[in-house]
Amino acid sequence: MSTPSFHMFRLVLVCCFSILLLMSICVQTISAATTDKGCTKTYKKFIKSACNSTTYPKICYGALSPNASAIKTDPYKLCSIALSVTLKATYKAYLSIDALSKMRGLSRSEKEIIGDCAETTDDAIYQLQKSLKALARLKGSNHKADEISDLNTWVSAVLTDEYTCTDDFEGQKVRKDVKNTINKRMLYLAKLTSNCLALFKLLD
């Protein structure tokens, strides 16, 4: 028959083991969290350094730093996500412009300008999609220089599309809300696109 003292000894032993196990788990969790925090800091430092080479570093860092864990310190991932962010923003701009085309009371010139902007923005989406596919093939390519040249050509075409859209306002009577909406969207897109072109230099 077990004595009360033996039961107490077993209870103390179980408690000690449980405490040691819990401490071990806590140490591992803290260690993992510290490692993750250190890695994230390194990744964000890489992004910041890359963004400092762009024309709009604050916009670049603001757009890319939330994706630090995906980018790590990979310039290909950096450029891919920069293009993806730009594509997403371009698609949102297209939807915004499409919504403007459904406004009542638009003048003929306003309808033409909005239509032209929708067309150039749609082309920008196509060019960005094409660029993303090319970038995915770039790593390990035997024709890297040619591929990068194509990327620069296509993304430069996107920038031209964006400026073409705002240039249509020159000498035209356009209501303020239409003009402001399009200008705001296109200016932001132009900055994102310009940053992409700067970041491509990391691929050389």
Side-chain angles (χ1 to χ4, degrees):
M1 183 181 291
S2 300
T3 63
S5 59
F6 180 72
H7 280 301
M8 182 62 69
F9 174 74
R10 281 207 313 177
L11 184 60
V12 170
L13 197 63
V14 170
C15 287
C16 288
F17 180 75
S18 299
I19 291 168
L20 286 171
L21 183 62
L22 184 61
M23 286 175 65
S24 174
I25 292 169
C26 287
V27 168
Q28 289 176 20
T29 303
I30 292 168
S31 176
T34 303
T35 302
D36 288 345
K37 190 175 180 181
C39 287
T40 301
K41 190 175 181 181
T42 300
Y43 301 156
K44 287 188 175 181
K45 188 176 179 181
F46 167 74
I47 293 169
K48 190 164 189 177
S49 176
C51 286
N52 283 340
S53 68
T54 68
T55 311
Y56 309 99
K58 286 185 178 179
I59 288 175
C60 175
Y61 186 76
L64 299 181
S65 59
N67 300 286
S69 60
I71 293 169
K72 295 183 171 61
T73 56
D74 186 337
Y76 289 90
K77 285 277 182 68
L78 180 83
C79 291
S80 179
I81 289 176
L83 278 173
S84 295
V85 168
T86 306
L87 176 59
K88 186 177 179 181
T90 306
Y91 183 66
K92 284 184 177 179
Y94 178 82
L95 293 178
S96 181
I97 293 167
D98 186 58
L100 289 177
S101 70
K102 296 176 174 62
M103 290 175 63
R104 292 182 179 180
L106 291 172
S107 67
R108 183 177 176 180
S109 61
E110 286 171 338
K111 287 179 182 178
E112 287 177 357
I113 289 169
I114 292 169
D116 288 345
C117 275
E119 189 176 328
T120 56
T121 306
D122 187 51
D123 180 68
I125 290 170
Y126 169 71
Q127 299 289 353
L128 288 167
Q129 288 172 334
K130 189 164 61 171
S131 299
L132 269 169
K133 288 176 183 176
L135 184 59
R137 297 190 301 267
L138 182 60
K139 205 169 185 178
S141 171
N142 294 323
H143 308 285
K144 190 174 176 181
D146 292 337
E147 298 272 9
I148 291 174
S149 177
D150 286 341
L151 274 176
N152 281 302
T153 299
W154 297 331
V155 177
S156 293
V158 172
L159 200 58
T160 301
D161 283 335
E162 290 155 0
Y163 284 128
T164 298
C165 184
T166 54
D167 286 346
D168 284 346
F169 291 125
E170 292 294 326
Q172 300 287 344
K173 280 189 73 174
V174 182
R175 64 174 73 179
K176 192 175 180 180
D177 54 347
V178 170
K179 189 173 183 179
N180 287 349
T181 298
I182 292 177
N183 275 338
K184 185 179 178 181
R185 291 282 186 181
M186 290 302 139
L187 180 61
Y188 180 61
L189 290 181
K191 289 177 179 179
L192 287 176
T193 307
S194 173
N195 285 346
C196 285
L197 289 167
L199 293 173
F200 289 163
K201 292 174 184 176
L202 298 173
L203 304 174
D204 290 337

